[in-house]
Amino acid sequence: MTDTELIRGLAPQVLGILVRRGTHFAAAEDAVQEALLEAHLSWPDRPPDDPLGWLITVARRKLIDAQRAEAARRRREEATFDEPAPGPTETADDTLLLLFMCCHPALSPASAIALTLRAVGGLTTREIAEAFLVPEATMAQRISRAKKTIAGEPLTAPGDVAVVLRVLYLIFNEGYGGRVDLAAEAIRLTRQLALECSEPEVAGLLALMVLHHARRAARTDADGALVPLDLQDRSRWDRAAIGEGVRILQGALAQERRGEYQIMAAIAALHDDAASAEDTDWAQILEWYDELVALTDNPAAALSRAVAVGEVDGPLAGLRALDGLDERLPEHHRLDAVRAHLHERAGNVAAAAECFTRAASGARSAAERDHLLLRAARARNG
Amino acid sequence: MPKYLILKHYRGGPEQNYAPMNEWTAEEVRTHIAFQHHVADMLRERGEFVDAQALSPAGSYVQYGGPDAAPKVDGPFPEAKELIAGWYVIDVDSVERAHEVAAYVSSAPGKGGEPVYEWLEVRPFMDEAGEKLLDLPE
């Protein structure tokens, strides 16, 4: 394990211990961040015998420094410091409670993501800023505001785990940016959460991430262009990760409380399981999509379901399955892309080219736009 | 969190609706510039600031001159109908918030201290990460 991995893994434990001993969350979080920065500087030369103890000691010193500075700022001659009240130091569910705090419903998704990555993920403000391509000062301010927003919220009652899962899912979707691999970071955090929380949707999300991440190497070609699922080189998929994802998913499904992440993971597993695109068990995938649409009434799920309908019942049936989605989908380019794909399969070349072109003009990322422009050109010229 | 470019056109947009800056007093210009700094500070304080720049109007058009030829340069055009005067880049929660920021920028004090009602162009950035769960519902 590298120093960085060690430091990131210990961060929530140190924070949890400080908070449990009575230190205010915002102050404790600042102190831990400073201790982490110091660890990054000094551990490579002087590795500590007891890394956790080292971090706790340094964080507490930072806390006292901050209290002293605060006291000086208030122009008190002599400051007295309250020792944090003794409390339990060994607790199993610190990560869970910290995640609930950082993913508080009062926070915007962007604030919750930033705070989660720092307080629970143990990332530095600079790393988070680089990952989201904003100035470090901007990210520092965002985190500081987020902490003010949740100041005074007690760190006791667990909230709705769905809110936490949503934030972890959004972090995973950020993928690569800057030096930090946010997809891997999201998997690490979800893994930590799964150790403390037996809710099947937690395992479902972890399985979904692992199963999807397993295809990463095949998802882009040497030039960085997107490779769609049916054209990916499946020998580049990570078989060990797929095996792990399937095991996690089976454990979740065995609890017989289905949720959207478990269903999406089941669909991902069926794709991962197919030796070739032609071998994909679309009938079973369609059944899972039927269940997902019935469960969530999510138009994005209905859109993906139409692709499966196209595979099982033919492209014309797939096109009919898109009826009524125009009004319900805010992101029209994805609907255009699916429509184009189905028209192409039905042999309607002109309609396919037109829809791919329209989809490209609405694409949200350059890689996606380039991919759609290529498909449009191919549909036009064969 | 999406990024947006808020583009300040000089004399641009659907209509030219305020007195050009060369008709303002020094105090009016100063107040206007102070407001631009205030906007940047507000964005910094809220953790939404990415960049703010002003551009000199003294630009040129440049084109490939062909093989073994020098670049073709045209301009500068001091009387150009439309110039880009500068921009803000913001990182915000929603397009609604981006519009709110742009509207605020447009409320900058101009001649007589009245809001300029300048038109601002708001353009979303393409996502950096191309790796979305493309084959899965989002």
Side-chain angles (χ1 to χ4, degrees):
Chain A
M1 195 185 280
T2 66
D3 280 345
T4 299
E5 287 165 346
L6 182 62
I7 290 167
R8 284 187 192 161
L10 291 173
Q13 293 183 45
V14 181
L15 179 57
I17 287 166
L18 290 186
V19 170
R20 282 184 181 280
R21 286 181 183 170
T23 308
H24 194 272
F25 174 81
E29 206 280 325
D30 276 335
V32 172
Q33 172 78 187
E34 284 188 46
L36 300 185
L37 290 171
E38 205 162 304
H40 281 295
L41 289 176
S42 76
W43 287 13
D45 297 330
R46 279 165 289 142
D49 296 331
D50 171 13
L52 179 63
W54 189 99
L55 282 172
I56 293 171
T57 305
V58 174
R60 293 197 54 201
R61 203 179 68 225
K62 299 288 181 191
L63 205 55
I64 290 169
D65 289 349
Q67 285 172 330
R68 200 167 275 152
E70 173 71 6
R73 202 178 59 77
R74 288 178 187 164
R75 292 180 191 169
R76 274 199 236 126
E77 279 304 311
E78 194 145 355
T80 54
F81 306 112
D82 294 331
E83 268 299 290
T89 55
E90 294 303 317
T91 53
D93 54 356
D94 277 344
T95 302
L96 184 59
L97 286 176
L98 292 173
L99 277 172
F100 281 126
M101 191 79 174
C102 296
C103 302
H104 196 278
L107 297 173
S108 71
S111 301
I113 287 170
L115 189 54
T116 298
L117 287 172
R118 204 174 95 146
V120 190
L123 268 64
T124 64
T125 306
R126 174 178 291 183
E127 287 171 327
I128 303 167
E130 281 182 7
F132 290 95
L133 303 166
V134 301
E136 188 176 348
T138 294
M139 192 49 77
Q141 191 55 29
R142 197 176 290 171
I143 290 166
S144 158
R145 281 175 66 95
K147 291 203 295 191
K148 272 186 204 131
T149 303
I150 56 167
E153 298 287 337
L155 184 68
T156 48
D160 182 0
V161 77
V163 181
V164 173
L165 295 181
R166 182 76 200 155
V167 169
L168 295 172
Y169 181 76
L170 290 174
I171 294 174
F172 182 79
N173 264 343
E174 287 294 333
Y176 275 121
R179 285 188 298 131
V180 178
D181 182 347
L182 289 177
E185 195 56 34
I187 290 176
R188 195 176 67 81
L189 289 170
T190 311
R191 231 185 256 288
Q192 252 171 289
L193 177 61
L195 290 176
E196 297 179 10
C197 181
S198 58
E199 165 65 38
E201 277 293 83
V202 176
L205 177 60
L206 178 58
L208 171 64
M209 290 175 175
V210 169
L211 289 166
H212 193 79
H213 203 59
R215 296 186 217 127
R216 170 182 264 186
R219 202 172 294 129
T220 47
D221 66 15
D223 302 323
L226 286 181
V227 182
L229 190 54
D230 55 335
L231 298 178
Q232 286 176 17
D233 174 1
R234 294 174 185 230
S235 70
R236 300 181 69 197
W237 290 359
D238 182 344
R239 287 285 143 202
I242 291 171
E244 191 210 352
V246 168
R247 276 193 304 280
I248 297 168
L249 174 63
Q250 283 167 342
L253 291 174
Q255 294 194 49
E256 302 205 330
R257 277 190 291 136
R258 301 261 173 95
E260 56 176 330
Y261 295 118
Q262 294 170 74
I263 296 173
M264 286 194 275
I267 293 165
L270 284 165
H271 282 301
D272 285 354
D273 205 32
S276 68
E278 295 71 38
D279 290 333
T280 307
D281 187 348
W282 283 105
Q284 213 184 328
I285 289 175
L286 179 55
E287 282 178 30
W288 282 110
Y289 272 125
D290 286 340
E291 192 172 335
L292 185 62
V293 170
L295 184 76
T296 65
D297 195 33
N298 179 344
L303 181 63
S304 297
R305 180 184 167 275
V307 177
V309 172
E311 296 293 335
V312 175
D313 299 324
L316 295 178
L319 285 167
R320 280 195 299 277
L322 294 175
D323 285 348
L325 282 180
D326 290 81
E327 299 79 34
R328 295 179 59 211
L329 265 173
E331 292 194 22
H332 247 263
H333 75 281
R334 302 197 64 219
L335 179 59
D336 287 326
V338 169
R339 191 169 272 143
H341 167 77
L342 291 166
H343 273 307
E344 191 173 53
R345 294 211 28 191
N348 307 331
V349 184
E354 190 195 320
C355 290
F356 274 130
T357 305
R358 209 163 51 218
S361 72
R364 292 288 183 83
S365 82
E368 197 181 4
R369 177 200 58 199
D370 295 349
H371 171 72
L372 292 165
L373 285 174
L374 261 172
R375 298 277 303 261
R378 266 190 224 130
R380 273 196 308 274
N381 306 314
Chain B
M1 191 123 131
K3 288 191 180 60
Y4 291 89
L5 174 71
I6 297 179
L7 208 50
K8 290 170 66 64
H9 294 266
Y10 183 55
R11 289 178 288 192
E15 60 191 344
Q16 165 64 36
N17 52 358
Y18 61 94
M21 211 180 252
N22 55 18
E23 296 171 14
W24 301 4
T25 67
E27 188 51 35
E28 284 162 351
V29 171
R30 214 175 357 252
T31 310
H32 184 80
I33 291 167
F35 184 83
Q36 310 300 329
H37 292 303
H38 158 70
V39 170
D41 288 344
M42 178 272 291
L43 293 170
R44 284 193 185 92
E45 199 278 323
R46 292 179 55 110
E48 297 173 328
F49 180 89
V50 179
D51 188 33
Q53 299 291 338
L55 292 179
S56 158
S60 311
Y61 282 97
V62 180
Q63 190 188 41
Y64 175 52
D68 304 320
K72 214 190 267 177
V73 180
D74 206 354
F77 304 99
E79 296 306 314
K81 249 181 84 172
E82 189 175 316
L83 292 169
I84 292 167
W87 64 72
Y88 295 97
V89 176
I90 57 176
D91 191 48
V92 291
D93 275 319
S94 62
V95 66
E96 289 77 18
R97 173 63 190 151
H99 289 175
E100 189 179 290
V101 173
Y104 188 58
V105 173
S106 169
S107 77
K111 191 158 180 57
E114 291 296 310
V116 289
Y117 292 102
E118 165 193 17
W119 285 98
L120 289 140
E121 190 179 355
V122 179
R123 301 274 300 272
F125 275 49
M126 289 279 190
D127 278 346
E128 275 302 313
E131 192 195 337
K132 299 288 167 187
L133 298 176
L134 276 182
D135 50 334
L136 297 166
E138 287 181 339

